[in-house]
């Protein structure tokens, strides 16, 4: 039993270390890793985690993150609920039990008639990356958080549909410590167009990809 416990401990340390390029250090109230690795040499080293009862935005955002990380690196990150924390690095998409555990994590929330509560955060915390925002209707905060993260990896959506996409290729997906909060300068960001076939659906997604 003693040897088995040691083996399990060592296995956990090896797995958790695979997603952190260097040892974590304490910085005030936050644990900051020098580099968080989501994919290494085409192999996943992180798990996408959503609430067991996610918002529609969080579910769509998690699926989109999984899709584009696979197109970038060839690695498909698994998606799990928050009932049992996954081993190793975690990408926390949307609010969940795990985001509630992080001190001073100010995820935009609420809605008033002035519609000024929209926004999202992108933040690393040790071996966790938080991509979350205000998902109160009509806001798309968590989707915008994922879109901004993908944009920082080099993904672009210049036109509606796959023809307008630019997807970089990289076998390793990693990021430095980051703490970003974004809120729009004005609540209405849209335009109207005439479309037929699947053009309306593609245009709607293109608007979201450009945070409209």
């Amino acid at each position: 039993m003693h040897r088995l416990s040691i083996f399990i401990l060592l296995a956990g340390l090896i797995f958790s270390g695979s997603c952190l390029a260097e040892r974590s250090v304490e910085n005030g109230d936050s644990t900051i890793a020098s580099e968080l690795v989501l994919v290494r040499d085409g192999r996943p080293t992180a798990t996408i985690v959503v609430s067991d009862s996610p918002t529609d935005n969080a579910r769509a955002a998690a699926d989109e993150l999984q899709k584009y990380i696979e197109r970038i690196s060839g690695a498909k990150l698994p998606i799990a609920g928050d009932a049992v924390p996954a081993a190793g690095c975690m990408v926390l998409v949307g609010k969940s039990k795990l985001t509630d555990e992080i001190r001073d994590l100010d995820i935009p929330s609420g809605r008033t008639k002035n519609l000024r509560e929209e926004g999202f955060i992108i933040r690393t915390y040790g071996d966790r990356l938080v991509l979350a925002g205000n998902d109160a209707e009509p806001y798309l905060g968590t989707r915008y958080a994922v879109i901004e993260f993908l944009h920082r990896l080099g993904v672009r959506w210049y036109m509606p549909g796959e023809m307008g996409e630019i997807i970089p290729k990289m076998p390793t997906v990693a990021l430095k410590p980051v703490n970003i909060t974004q809120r729009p300068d004005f609540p209405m960001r849209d335009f109207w167009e005439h479309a037929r076939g699947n053009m309306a659906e593609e245009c709607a997604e293109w608007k979201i990809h450009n945070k409209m």
Side-chain angles (χ1 to χ4, degrees):
M1 181 63 70
H2 181 65
R3 291 182 178 179
L4 178 60
S5 299
I6 293 175
F7 174 78
I8 293 173
L9 176 61
L10 289 175
L13 290 173
I14 291 171
F15 187 88
S16 63
S18 67
C19 66
L20 295 175
E22 296 180 15
R23 182 175 59 85
S24 299
V25 295
E26 290 293 332
N27 183 5
D29 291 334
S30 298
T31 303
I32 300 179
S34 60
E35 190 172 57
L36 187 63
V37 183
L38 308 184
V39 177
R40 189 187 298 279
D41 298 327
R43 296 184 179 183
T45 58
T47 300
I48 299 170
V49 178
V50 296
S51 168
D52 278 351
S53 300
T55 64
D56 291 341
N57 286 332
R59 180 77 256 182
D63 290 341
E64 187 158 52
L65 179 64
Q66 181 188 58
K67 169 187 171 182
Y68 279 97
I69 291 295
E70 184 174 16
R71 292 181 65 184
I72 290 170
S73 66
K76 187 172 185 177
L77 302 184
I79 299 177
D82 63 349
V84 179
C89 290
M90 290 182 282
V91 184
L92 309 183
V93 177
K95 294 182 181 179
S96 66
K97 295 177 183 177
L98 299 181
T99 60
D100 291 342
E101 295 174 356
I102 300 176
R103 290 181 297 174
D104 302 323
L105 190 65
D106 186 16
I107 300 174
S109 62
R111 183 187 64 189
T112 63
K113 64 180 181 180
N114 294 323
L115 299 179
R116 290 291 183 179
E117 302 79 24
E118 190 174 10
F120 64 83
I121 65 168
I122 300 176
R123 179 178 173 183
T124 50
Y125 190 90
D127 61 355
R128 301 181 182 189
L129 167 64
V130 180
L131 304 173
N134 192 347
D135 289 338
E137 191 179 1
Y139 303 139
L140 301 171
T142 298
R143 286 207 68 185
Y144 290 157
V146 167
I147 294 304
E148 177 65 22
F149 175 67
L150 292 173
H151 193 273
R152 289 169 182 263
L153 292 181
V155 180
R156 296 291 185 272
W157 295 273
Y158 291 120
M159 294 187 299
E162 290 190 7
M163 184 175 65
E165 294 182 338
I166 301 296
I167 312 294
K169 301 297 181 182
M170 57 185 81
T172 296
V173 178
L175 66 151
K176 299 291 186 181
V178 64
N179 188 357
I180 296 169
T181 299
Q182 282 194 15
R183 296 180 184 271
D185 290 326
F186 48 94
M188 177 62 83
R189 306 177 306 282
D190 201 356
F191 64 86
W192 287 263
E193 74 287 334
H194 295 285
R196 60 182 179 181
N198 64 345
M199 291 175 61
E201 181 179 349
E202 289 182 345
C203 191
E205 284 298 300
W206 180 81
K207 290 178 182 179
I208 293 173
H209 289 154
N210 287 278
K211 292 185 284 187
M212 295 186 188

